[in-house]
Amino acid sequence: MNLMGSRLIHLSAAMIGYLKTGVPLIEWDGSKLLLSNAGDDIGIYIIIPKIATYFGISLERAVTSFFLALLIIPMLCAVIGFCCVYKKTSERIVAIAAILLLTRFAYSIGDVYLGFSAAALMLIPWGIVIRESENFKTSTFFGVLSGMIAGFFHYIRSFSGIGTLLCILVLMISSRTHSKKNKMGFVLAILFGYFVPYYYFNAQYQEAKVYEREILNQTGSVAEKHPLWHPLYLGFGFLNLKNKRNIRYDDAFGLETARATNPSVVYCSNEYEEILRGEVLSIIKNEWAFLILTLFAKLGILIFYLLKFTNIGLLAAFFYRKSWVIDVAFFLGMGWNSIFPLLAIPLHEYSLGFIACATLWSITSINHALSELNLSNFQFIKEKQFSLK
């Protein structure tokens, strides 16, 4: 399972730093120890070195094992969950086939982007199961677990679990089988669960900060939030048409732009972000045609993904209407997961959360159509038998 080059470089340095110090997020650059500047998706730099150390395996094997787990465990969770939802063989075949295809597609993408598909596969099918349960303890436990899983994946890839949480929140809050007490307990349980990985990863980060300050006598820092204006600005490099500034989607181009204003600016620092913020606002103010063309071009790609990954599920949803609440829940998840592709660039990896939600929605649409067809066939046979009598 491959990682992007920069992430693998930082992970290798973090592994050596962890072996030397026993402290996460401390890197060895070949000559000295320093606090990692890998960015905000710090989860892999904390977890994978610990896996390698605990099991006594190589970094490469730890990377492969970790990301294979992000494929296999969510796939199994989704299969078991949908088998609990659907009892007929035909419906289970539809669900399992779609899950396997989505997992194969996610495998081709790999990297930290697996957080998007993993969160959706692990939680949404079980959200549908729990929606029909009336047990307060069961729904509360699922709420805590959902918050923990979504929070964990947030540190693997920023905000990768939020769309999934929005989807299952709508499913639960709209449920007629749950009391207001159950629904409120579920919301509070999610918040509590989300706090657990936040507390753990923040504690790891603070440990690294203390080591940096007290042992290394340095004052660097790891980015604590995802850069906003950097991807927004580079996202205008999606089109060449009317691209007067010749923007290209390349991290180096963002740095070139910022250093044209301040040659000493640090990559993704507050000053760096402020410079690119000015560039983005200038485009919004002065280049409306370019802005609109870019947004609609990206939207077109997402519509293509919707058609591709829902395929006959889209037709099934149109001709065999299910509860509108189900559609709202899934489209809310897809909507959240479309924000980054629309603002930055709609590559497969950035759109994996959107694709995962679309695929799972397609499963529910197709199987609802199958159940409606089976019911109508059953009624037709009963009517035919009655008329023969």
Side-chain angles (χ1 to χ4, degrees), residues 10 41 106 109 167 202 206 208 211 247 304 312 351 375 380:
H10 281 293
D41 299 331
I109 293 174
C167 180
N202 187 59
Q206 294 304 325
Y211 189 90
I247 302 170
F304 168 73
I312 61 173
S351 306
L375 181 60
F380 174 78

Side-chain angles (χ1 to χ4, degrees), residues 60-72:
E60 291 76 11
R61 189 174 176 185
V63 169
T64 301
S65 300
F66 178 76
F67 285 107
L68 279 178
L70 293 192
L71 284 167
I72 295 171

